[in-house]
Amino acid sequence: MSLSERKVKILQAIINDYIATAEPVGSRTIAKKYDFGLSSATIRNEMSDLEEMGFIIQPHASSGRIPSDLGYRLYVDSLMQQRDLVENEKSFLHGMISENVNQIEYLMEETAKMLSAMTNYTTIISEPIIKSTRLKKIHFMRLDEKNVMIIIAAEGNIVKNHMAKMDYLPNDDELYSISGVVNQCLEGQIMESIELEAIEKLHKNLPGYDELITATLKAMQKTVKSSENLQLHLSGAKNILAFPEFSDVQKAKSLIQTLEDKESLKNLLTANTVDGDEVQIYIGNESGIEEMKDCSIITTSYKFADNITGTIGILGPTRMNYSQVVSVLNGMVKNIEVVVKNLNNQNDKEKNDS
Amino acid sequence: MSLSERKVKILQAIINDYIATAEPVGSRTIAKKYDFGLSSATIRNEMSDLEEMGFIIQPHASSGRIPSDLGYRLYVDSLMQQRDLVENEKSFLHGMISENVNQIEYLMEETAKMLSAMTNYTTIISEPIIKSTRLKKIHFMRLDEKNVMIIIAAEGNIVKNHMAKMDYLPNDDELYSISGVVNQCLEGQIMESIELEAIEKLHKNLPGYDELITATLKAMQKTVKSSENLQLHLSGAKNILAFPEFSDVQKAKSLIQTLEDKESLKNLLTANTVDGDEVQIYIGNESGIEEMKDCSIITTSYKFADNITGTIGILGPTRMNYSQVVSVLNGMVKNIEVVVKNLNNQNDKEKNDS
DNA sequence: AATTAGCACTCGAGTTAAGTGAGTGCTAAC
DNA sequence: GTTAGCACTCACTTAACTCGAGTGCTAATT
């Protein structure tokens, strides 16, 4: 059986209607609402075919049809038309740029909130992962006789602190000159794989400071590790509960549990980053997470700097408004890049303000 | 009508039973389960009195009674017996110390998870608030021609970073000597209220660096501000949904919403810190949050260092196991203090390990 | 005077049965 | 190939009914 143009149109009508109403849609509804010039009986026959082909499903014998995962898949792959941002959304997004978000966590938190507000779905953002990025600078800050804070700046101006305890800690001036040597030896090294040569050089140039050197190398590793152990920002969990598909308490509970658990979400989000900057759509079971079989998640990655990227995901019921989410998501990614640029080069703007 | 000893015993029995079963408890149940040597009719009379006094409530005319907020209040204030940690809980808590949690956020996250696991309720932890604490040390880390990271260490070895953009930025060596002057002028100043005198001294000793000085002072303020804008760690939201009192979707949804909103929770948690280190219990409506009228929350504050404290809250249904939570919470607070001590003075231990 | 047994009564929860209506599949006619 | 017509299905709603846990009251008992 071939997928005639008429069938495709009917399928699209079914999906549109179901996205809007969340009710199984029947042949009569289609015949009346959409102007195909066909009777309900004909539509019925076509729907029967579409069901046989697996694009739609009948929840029970005497009800209308709902799209299957496969139906949605066809929809997002070839039926869905690109949709521009409406004025409302544009101004929403624009409003964000002006706010001075000067810490990554805040930026993430705000972005998540904004996306939930715009889409009415649930937003999940992973903080940027540092990968194969190079060391820019190290400082040592002496806190007391034993404790030193090792401050590590990576490319992209990502800065992380690590506390370390030493048996013996040099004074401030000495630490400063040590940091000079360390920087000279390690600058430009890839964080997670420091060349042996560099380490040897370090030991040679700083005899007697083995303890500090070890702590420093460990801190560099931890910087990468801790970003792998990535933080998720969740926002708008309540939104998804508002959809009728989750009025069943049991379902709602297990979904909340899955969201809270974070482990499986992480995998899903990080799977994306490999595939470049395209939007990824996981429909229903495609996510591979049992509890999310009635949900779809649309993900995309954003770039903070070279080798420093994170992922944004928007989670909704399978009948979510794919085209809206895709366009909002694309808009937001552009937006983040603008904000980051501003963050690193803000003085032009500040001059104009004053 | 006076609260005879017998009435108190019956009330206690009602509360115990209701905590265990979540079902309204009737006179016959009490007569059979507890050995008062009284018939159900007598208990019935007493229960009628207790209801009149406001300690118990009849959800509907022909059902058993459930404790009112007032009943729980009496219970926690005078009936509840202190309960020691059981072996299980002790080992649970002890397991935490050995894990090397070397960042505040992780410690909070882990603590929250652990408390949820131990109690089966929902845990809310606020990160420590820095208040009236003094500056310990400032570093400047030059990132490029325009960007500098201002690194601020407060007492208690809390360290925060702030990025700033300058029109002109001195080189590393110059920045180092500037930081020496800044430290000399500002060390020991209370973060949120720097003496004018100190600021003047700063300007006098560092002529021509007004831009950097302004940025530094701003960063100090932000350090305090950002901790006021406190982060909440939530864990075990799913737990509370598991209780039958939240099998109503509507209730569950609005509670999740309240938890996610965080604003009202913040107020509740911070209200506590004023009252010293006692455990606070808010029963039902006492929290002042409409959506939490069927919940109780038990809070206590923990100490990170002088003037650096945070709050832990455990949220459950009003019929939660108050005595368990109180003892677990107390144990955990002690535990955190041990971990923090270890964190600041760990080398003894590490020596033993190696 | 306090306690208890007995009994009528209440009311939520669960069960059953009938009715409703949206929707289908099939067949015969167009 | 399309459509009208019709029997059939099945979730959902409503109402009536039953069940039982629990109460409140009264009269008898201790």
Side-chain angles (χ1 to χ4, degrees):
Chain A
M1 197 176 330
S2 80
L3 195 58
S4 70
E5 198 176 327
R6 194 171 73 180
K7 281 195 175 58
V8 170
K9 271 191 187 156
I10 290 174
L11 176 58
Q12 174 131 30
I14 293 171
I15 294 181
N16 285 341
D17 210 76
Y18 187 68
I19 284 180
T21 64
E23 293 291 328
V25 8
S27 55
R28 209 148 161 274
T29 314
I30 298 289
K32 268 197 292 187
K33 267 202 205 168
Y34 301 81
D35 208 12
F36 290 119
L38 293 174
S39 79
S40 67
T42 312
I43 309 252
R44 210 139 58 228
N45 289 331
E46 294 288 47
M47 280 167 84
S48 177
D49 290 353
L50 282 169
E51 181 167 18
E52 205 177 315
M53 291 194 253
F55 294 115
I56 53 180
I57 286 173
Q58 215 171 1
H60 52 260
S62 71
S63 79
R65 309 300 215 288
I66 62 174
S68 68
D69 287 2
L70 190 65
Y72 285 120
R73 175 48 63 195
L74 183 71
Y75 173 74
V76 300
D77 282 348
S78 38
L79 272 47
M80 188 172 76
Q81 61 260 43
Q82 198 68 21
R83 166 187 171 294
D84 285 333
L85 291 173
V86 299
E87 212 41 59
N88 192 346
E89 292 165 344
K90 276 187 196 159
S91 66
F92 219 125
L93 280 171
H94 192 77
M96 181 176 167
I97 301 185
S98 56
E99 288 186 32
N100 69 332
V101 242
N102 76 334
Q103 279 199 300
I104 295 182
E105 290 135 43
Y106 278 107
L107 179 59
M108 299 294 94
E109 200 84 38
E110 286 304 313
T111 305
K113 267 189 205 160
M114 186 159 293
L115 283 173
S116 318
M118 287 174 79
T119 60
N120 266 311
Y121 301 119
T122 300
T123 306
I124 306 149
I125 301 197
S126 77
E127 278 188 16
I129 300 185
I130 303 171
K131 212 162 191 176
S132 313
T133 195
R134 291 167 191 282
L135 179 71
K136 195 166 188 178
K137 190 171 274 185
I138 287 187
H139 264 212
F140 301 109
M141 182 188 244
R142 192 177 195 279
L143 293 171
D144 50 46
E145 316 82 54
K146 303 248 172 187
N147 290 293
V148 61
M149 191 62 83
I150 304 174
I151 300 146
I152 296 181
E155 276 174 348
N157 290 347
I158 305 280
V159 178
K160 301 259 172 183
N161 304 338
H162 300 270
M163 178 111 88
K165 292 94 201 164
M166 304 277 118
D167 279 337
Y168 160 73
L169 204 52
N171 68 24
D172 282 328
D173 288 336
E174 202 175 339
L175 268 178
Y176 178 67
S177 57
I178 291 173
S179 74
V181 179
V182 173
N183 279 317
Q184 201 213 313
C185 294
L186 294 183
E187 198 194 329
Q189 291 289 320
I190 291 173
M191 300 280 273
E192 65 264 45
S193 61
I194 305 151
E195 289 164 20
L196 272 179
E197 206 178 316
I199 297 178
E200 275 169 22
K201 195 170 154 197
L202 203 55
H203 279 287
K204 210 176 79 188
N205 289 340
L206 291 172
Y209 292 115
D210 289 2
E211 199 185 8
L212 190 58
I213 292 173
T214 310
T216 303
L217 296 175
K218 205 167 150 193
M220 281 176 70
Q221 280 183 325
K222 267 195 191 164
T223 299
V224 179
K225 264 273 175 61
S226 81
S227 90
E228 266 168 21
N229 201 323
L230 80 170
Q231 289 283 5
L232 289 188
H233 295 267
L234 216 120
S235 177
K238 65 182 179 211
N239 287 343
I240 201 144
L241 294 186
F243 290 101
E245 26 273 89
F246 292 96
S247 54
D248 176 24
V249 200
Q250 206 48 50
K251 266 188 193 165
K253 213 187 302 183
S254 75
L255 182 64
I256 289 282
Q257 184 154 357
T258 311
L259 291 185
E260 207 184 14
D261 183 33
K262 295 187 176 176
E263 206 47 55
S264 38
L265 282 183
K266 268 186 205 176
N267 294 337
L268 197 57
L269 286 187
T270 47
N272 175 294
T273 51
V274 194
D275 289 293
D277 51 3
E278 282 284 306
V279 165
Q280 275 309 93
I281 303 183
Y282 301 90
I283 297 164
N285 282 311
E286 294 176 3
S287 70
I289 300 172
E290 167 63 21
E291 291 80 5
M292 276 170 52
K293 68 173 162 37
D294 295 324
C295 298
S296 287
I297 184 163
I298 305 186
T299 69
T300 191
S301 54
Y302 62 89
K303 207 170 185 176
F304 237 74
D306 284 345
N307 295 318
I308 303 183
T309 60
T311 309
I312 308 179
I314 293 192
L315 179 80
T318 41
R319 60 171 190 96
M320 72 198 287
N321 189 332
Y322 293 93
S323 58
Q324 185 215 3
V325 171
V326 168
S327 60
V328 168
L329 215 41
N330 279 329
M332 182 57 94
V333 168
K334 273 187 210 140
N335 220 24
I336 288 180
E337 275 157 24
V338 172
V339 172
V340 170
K341 217 179 229 167
N342 271 15
L343 211 70
N344 285 334
N345 194 10
Q346 203 173 53
N347 37 359
D348 310 338
K349 194 172 162 298
E350 283 190 357
K351 246 188 264 168
N352 292 341
D353 287 358
S354 59
Chain B
M1 199 175 331
S2 78
L3 195 58
S4 70
E5 197 176 327
R6 194 172 72 179
K7 281 194 176 58
V8 169
K9 272 190 185 155
I10 290 174
L11 176 60
Q12 175 130 28
I14 294 171
I15 294 181
N16 284 341
D17 210 77
Y18 187 67
I19 285 181
T21 64
E23 294 290 329
V25 8
S27 55
R28 204 142 165 278
T29 314
I30 298 290
K32 269 197 292 188
K33 267 202 206 169
Y34 301 81
D35 209 12
F36 290 119
L38 293 175
S39 78
S40 68
T42 311
I43 309 252
R44 209 136 60 228
N45 289 331
E46 295 288 47
M47 280 167 85
S48 176
D49 291 351
L50 282 169
E51 180 168 22
E52 205 177 316
M53 289 192 258
F55 293 116
I56 53 180
I57 287 173
Q58 217 171 358
H60 52 262
S62 71
S63 78
R65 309 301 214 289
I66 63 174
S68 68
D69 287 2
L70 190 66
Y72 285 120
R73 175 49 61 195
L74 182 72
Y75 172 73
V76 300
D77 283 348
S78 37
L79 271 49
M80 189 174 76
Q81 60 261 42
Q82 198 68 19
R83 166 187 171 293
D84 285 333
L85 290 174
V86 299
E87 210 44 57
N88 192 345
E89 292 164 343
K90 273 187 198 160
S91 67
F92 220 124
L93 280 171
H94 192 76
M96 181 174 168
I97 300 185
S98 57
E99 290 187 29
N100 67 333
V101 240
N102 75 335
Q103 278 198 300
I104 294 181
E105 289 133 44
Y106 278 107
L107 178 59
M108 299 293 95
E109 200 83 37
E110 285 304 312
T111 306
K113 267 190 205 158
M114 185 160 292
L115 283 173
S116 317
M118 288 173 79
T119 60
N120 266 311
Y121 300 119
T122 300
T123 306
I124 306 151
I125 301 197
S126 77
E127 278 187 15
I129 299 186
I130 304 172
K131 213 163 191 175
S132 314
T133 195
R134 291 167 192 281
L135 179 72
K136 194 165 188 178
K137 190 172 276 186
I138 287 188
H139 265 213
F140 302 109
M141 181 188 248
R142 194 177 193 280
L143 293 171
D144 51 45
E145 316 84 53
K146 303 245 171 187
N147 289 295
V148 61
M149 191 61 83
I150 304 174
I151 299 144
I152 297 181
E155 276 173 347
N157 290 347
I158 304 278
V159 177
K160 302 259 173 182
N161 304 338
H162 300 269
M163 178 112 88
K165 291 95 203 166
M166 303 278 119
D167 279 338
Y168 161 73
L169 204 54
N171 67 23
D172 282 329
D173 287 338
E174 201 175 339
L175 270 177
Y176 178 67
S177 57
I178 292 173
S179 74
V181 179
V182 173
N183 279 317
Q184 200 212 315
C185 295
L186 294 184
E187 198 195 328
Q189 291 289 319
I190 291 171
M191 300 279 274
E192 65 265 45
S193 60
I194 305 150
E195 289 166 21
L196 272 178
E197 208 177 316
I199 298 177
E200 277 168 22
K201 195 170 154 198
L202 204 54
H203 280 285
K204 213 176 78 188
N205 289 340
L206 291 171
Y209 292 115
D210 289 3
E211 201 186 4
L212 190 59
I213 292 174
T214 310
T216 304
L217 296 175
K218 206 166 149 193
M220 281 176 71
Q221 279 182 326
K222 267 194 191 162
T223 299
V224 180
K225 266 271 174 65
S226 81
S227 89
E228 268 170 20
N229 201 324
L230 79 168
Q231 289 282 8
L232 290 187
H233 295 267
L234 217 119
S235 177
K238 66 184 178 207
N239 287 343
I240 200 141
L241 294 185
F243 291 102
E245 26 272 89
F246 292 96
S247 55
D248 176 23
V249 199
Q250 206 48 49
K251 265 187 194 165
K253 212 186 300 182
S254 75
L255 182 64
I256 290 282
Q257 183 154 357
T258 310
L259 292 185
E260 206 184 14
D261 184 35
K262 295 188 175 175
E263 206 46 55
S264 39
L265 281 182
K266 269 185 203 176
N267 294 336
L268 196 58
L269 286 187
T270 46
N272 176 292
T273 51
V274 195
D275 289 293
D277 51 2
E278 283 284 306
V279 165
Q280 278 304 95
I281 303 182
Y282 300 91
I283 298 164
N285 282 310
E286 293 176 3
S287 71
I289 301 172
E290 167 63 21
E291 291 82 5
M292 277 171 52
K293 66 174 164 36
D294 295 324
C295 300
S296 287
I297 183 165
I298 305 185
T299 70
T300 191
S301 54
Y302 63 88
K303 207 170 184 175
F304 237 75
D306 284 344
N307 295 318
I308 302 182
T309 59
T311 309
I312 307 179
I314 294 192
L315 179 78
T318 40
R319 61 172 188 95
M320 72 199 285
N321 190 332
Y322 293 93
S323 58
Q324 184 214 3
V325 171
V326 168
S327 60
V328 168
L329 215 41
N330 279 330
M332 181 58 93
V333 167
K334 269 185 214 142
N335 220 26
I336 289 180
E337 275 156 24
V338 171
V339 173
V340 171
K341 217 178 229 164
N342 271 15
L343 211 69
N344 285 333
N345 195 10
Q346 205 173 49
N347 39 359
D348 309 340
K349 191 169 162 301
E350 283 189 358
K351 248 187 263 171
N352 293 341
D353 287 358
S354 60

